[in-house]
Amino acid sequence: MILMDKNKFIKRSIEIACENVKNNTGGPFGALIIKNNQIIAEGANLVTATNDPTAHAEIVAIRKACEKLNSFQLTDCYIFSSCEPCPMCLSAIYWARPAGVFYAAVAADASKVGFDDSFIYKELDLEKGQRSIQMQKIENIPIEEVLKPFEMWDESVNRTKY
């Protein structure tokens, strides 16, 4: 698919971010999802408005687009974001599998006003036991119980592949 007007879409993502700041409903981030050169979903950062740390603009837009398309994948869609996606949003983007992502500001721009995700990237490079939030596997559960959900999934005829 050829995108007709990338500038129009990226400008709209910035407008969403500005509206969000003006209305004091969340952080300075906006995103939208495009399919067939049409906006199918928009999202603004709603973390503080909803007390939901996952309510970043890209995730809000992804949720809306998936609901509208009745799909958990954004095949043939493009994401436009007012800023380079953070690690969480980047992970969600990979799970949603859009055709591409366009963004305006870079992570360093966001960092200058207090949105610094560099520590997350550093944490991911550390061994699990060295991270500031400890990740510990519980080892006293019999292996059968640990693997049971995966075994059930593997045997299910009703599962949806993703």
Side-chain angles (χ1 to χ4, degrees):
M1 170 182 28
I2 298 172
L3 289 169
M4 301 305 282
D5 195 349
K6 294 175 193 166
N7 286 340
K8 176 179 96 173
F9 297 135
I10 205 68
K11 284 180 183 178
R12 179 62 191 142
S13 74
I14 294 168
E15 287 172 5
I16 294 166
C18 290
E19 289 168 10
N20 209 42
V21 173
K22 181 180 175 184
N23 296 332
N24 196 31
T25 51
F29 303 97
L32 46 104
I33 312 291
I34 304 300
K35 184 168 185 165
N36 298 325
N37 287 300
Q38 299 293 317
I39 297 172
I40 62 166
E42 295 183 342
N45 178 292
L46 300 175
V47 171
T48 56
T50 61
N51 293 317
D52 179 354
T54 68
H56 288 201
E58 295 91 340
I59 297 203
V60 170
I62 288 169
R63 288 174 180 160
K64 289 179 180 179
C66 288
E67 183 175 351
K68 184 172 185 173
L69 296 173
N70 196 31
S71 174
F72 54 85
Q73 293 185 352
L74 297 176
T75 308
D76 299 325
C77 293
Y78 290 87
I79 298 175
F80 283 79
S81 180
S82 63
C83 188
E84 181 177 0
C86 75
M88 177 183 67
C89 292
L90 185 59
S91 295
I93 288 165
Y94 272 97
W95 279 110
R97 296 177 178 92
V101 177
F102 298 91
Y103 59 88
V106 296
D109 298 321
S111 176
K112 291 176 186 172
V113 293
F115 296 94
D116 187 1
D117 298 322
S118 62
F119 76 95
I120 297 173
Y121 288 107
K122 291 175 187 171
E123 288 279 307
L124 292 173
D125 284 337
L126 296 173
E127 294 294 322
K128 291 176 186 165
Q130 296 177 343
R131 294 178 182 165
S132 62
I133 297 176
Q134 295 299 306
M135 303 286 169
Q136 299 176 354
K137 179 182 177 216
I138 297 177
E139 297 183 28
N140 62 349
I141 297 175
I143 194 71
E144 296 85 25
E145 289 182 42
V146 171
L147 297 179
K148 186 162 181 79
F150 298 117
E151 292 167 350
M152 290 174 66
W153 174 260
D154 192 44
E155 294 169 3
S156 174
V157 293
N158 297 321
R159 72 176 186 233
T160 301
K161 185 179 177 186
Y162 62 96

